[in-house]
Amino acid sequence: MVETIQVHAIRVQSHGGPEVLSFDKVEVGAPGAGQVRLRHTAIGLNFVDTYFRTGLYPAPGPFPFVLGSEGVGVVEAVGEGVTEFKIGDRVGYADPMGSYAEARLSPAARLIHVPNGISDEIAASSMLKGMTARYLLRETFKVGPGHTILYHAAAGGVGQIATQWAKALGATVIGTVGSDEKAEIARRLGCDHVINYRTEDFVERVREITGGAKVDVVYDSVGKDTFPASLDCLKRRGTWVSFGNASGAVPPFSIGILNQKGSLYATRPSLGAYIAERSELVKTAKDLFDVILSGKVVVAEPQTYKLADAAEAQRALEGRQTTGSVVLIP
């Protein structure tokens, strides 16, 4: 019989800044039907975690709740009806919420096997970000040879994967960054052109770089600070993909602006809609792991913080003091 265990977890006590995070002891029970219990070895830190903490996104349930939606670990117990996973398997996931903990229960249907050749830290730092890059480039707008893309925050966690992947697909990549240090990272990752949006007018630079032709698609996770200027970077009938709010939410706008600026397309996607079915999840994860194992996308070793120091890690993330990915180690 599998016993209930006590573990430490980071919980959100109320909406607010990093100070609302607490390091608490919680109980994790035996897995029910269709569940596994896994012991985390690495936990992904993502900007979306801060949205749930601040209240920009609604809380998943009553306070206090365990934050985080990405992790890698080892299966230590399986519930009734679970056939795809066994004790000792190395697994990862990018949902549901509850990853900021030493151990947890998880629906087996949302887990994926982590292949040999990819470390726990790399998997935990790249699954949510990498699967996000995959849907952006292969589903929301299918990037290929002949396309020119503008990718905001090219040196960020998703950006570092997406810019390499876009280059592998044959696109010309223009990346924006917020510092000279991050500009160097973006160039090293293969961006054809890099714009520091703190010192340069990125709309004018895009026009210069493209000879006035502008770009086919803008991938924008910055939000308020890059809107509506991002729309001015698009070709006629171009696509604006808004998938984050790092600088704050995009303000309400009249849909007529899309017509005025060239019959543009605008979409606000999120990963959940692209991996809702298990078949979609498995295919998306396989594509990500394959492109990493092929060497076409190189995922840098992430920065690490102890799980107990999650508040400090989130402060650094929100203060733009991190480069690339961050993982929490239980």
Side-chain angles (χ1 to χ4, degrees), residues 251-265:
F253 63 94
S254 168
I255 197 170
I257 194 174
L258 302 176
N259 173 46
Q260 296 162 14
K261 292 183 179 293
S263 294
L264 304 178
Y265 295 91

Side-chain angles (χ1 to χ4, degrees), residues 186-219:
R187 290 189 188 94
R188 192 166 67 243
L189 292 171
C191 281
D192 297 282
H193 308 277
V194 180
I195 302 167
N196 184 337
Y197 58 75
R198 296 193 188 280
T199 59
E200 301 176 275
D201 182 329
F202 70 82
V203 176
E204 287 304 316
R205 287 287 290 123
V206 165
R207 288 196 181 111
E208 291 171 11
I209 290 165
T210 62
K214 299 194 270 191
V215 302
D216 298 282
V217 58
V218 175
Y219 291 110

Side-chain angles (χ1 to χ4, degrees), residues 93-122:
Y93 62 90
D95 75 327
M97 192 169 291
S99 67
Y100 282 27
E102 293 169 334
R104 70 168 299 174
L105 298 175
S106 180
R110 303 312 296 167
L111 297 175
I112 51 179
H113 290 281
V114 178
N116 294 331
I118 297 179
S119 72
D120 292 357
E121 293 79 10
I122 292 294

